[in-house]
Amino acid sequence: MSITIQSERLTFRPWQPSDFEAYAAYYADDATARYVGGQMSRDRAWRHFAAVVGHWTLKGYGFWAVDETASGEFVGCIGLQMPEGWPELEFGYWLMPSAHGKSYATEGGVRCLDYAYKELGAKTLVSYIDPANEPSRRVAERLDAELEDTIELLNYGPHCVYRYTPRSA
């Protein structure tokens, strides 16, 4: 079961069935879903949604549904994953278009990295980023990640490996 955590402006909370509409809409649009697995039909998005929710049960951590705390508006998905076959623990996110340009990815990253290292005891953490995804590459760099390599990430093609180190207290 997912837990709830907060950052300055964001609430990271368990997924609810009512979140699926926004989730399906995000994945229905190639422009938004391009760098997070690609456009999906509604039924495929449902299975993907169920896998995200189930990751919490199987691993004890995962991606949170994220709301802007002040308004309660759903703004996206931020968290940690290591599904079967994944090379190592990954920090990732996607944000609704209305949430772009507000530094939520960076703020969420700071909170997730803190959670990964301090709460989960992670020894290593990366982000796998499509080389063409310049905004996400900039977020990783703002979070002090180092570009380590480019790998073929399963069936997702080439991805840059950005490695994070624990932040000082």
Side-chain angles (χ1 to χ4, degrees):
M1 185 67 162
S2 175
I3 63 164
T4 299
I5 62 173
Q6 291 193 286
S7 64
E8 182 180 340
R9 300 175 296 160
L10 304 173
T11 299
F12 303 69
R13 62 168 175 79
W15 291 94
Q16 302 298 318
S18 59
D19 295 322
F20 179 67
E21 290 305 321
Y23 194 95
Y26 186 90
Y27 277 97
D29 185 349
D30 185 55
T32 55
R34 173 182 11 176
Y35 296 125
V36 289
Q39 187 176 20
M40 296 180 194
S41 64
R42 186 174 175 84
D43 65 311
R44 187 164 163 239
W46 172 256
R47 288 190 296 280
H48 194 265
F49 181 76
V52 167
V53 172
H55 194 285
W56 279 95
T57 299
L58 297 171
K59 297 278 189 159
Y61 59 87
F63 284 106
W64 285 274
V66 179
D67 295 334
E68 181 184 65
T69 303
S71 68
E73 176 187 353
F74 174 79
V75 296
C77 173
I78 300 175
L80 306 164
Q81 72 168 350
M82 192 167 164
E84 179 61 30
W86 220 238
E88 59 188 297
L89 183 63
E90 179 186 21
F91 158 67
Y93 66 90
W94 57 256
L95 297 172
M96 301 301 286
S98 63
H100 291 186
K102 298 180 179 181
S103 297
Y104 288 160
T106 302
E107 180 178 328
V110 168
R111 185 64 181 98
C112 280
L113 271 61
D114 184 61
Y115 184 84
Y117 287 118
K118 293 180 180 172
E119 302 299 317
L120 295 180
K123 302 292 183 224
T124 182
L125 187 63
V126 299
S127 286
Y128 299 113
I129 303 173
D130 186 299
N133 189 345
E134 285 297 325
S136 284
R137 293 179 70 168
R138 285 192 301 272
V139 167
E141 290 163 4
R142 277 195 298 274
L143 293 169
D144 298 325
E146 301 265 339
L147 177 59
E148 182 176 273
D149 199 0
T150 300
I151 64 167
E152 285 293 320
L153 183 61
L154 304 177
N155 62 339
Y156 297 101
H159 276 67
C160 298
V161 179
Y162 279 88
R163 184 162 307 279
Y164 300 94
T165 55
R167 298 170 83 78
S168 302

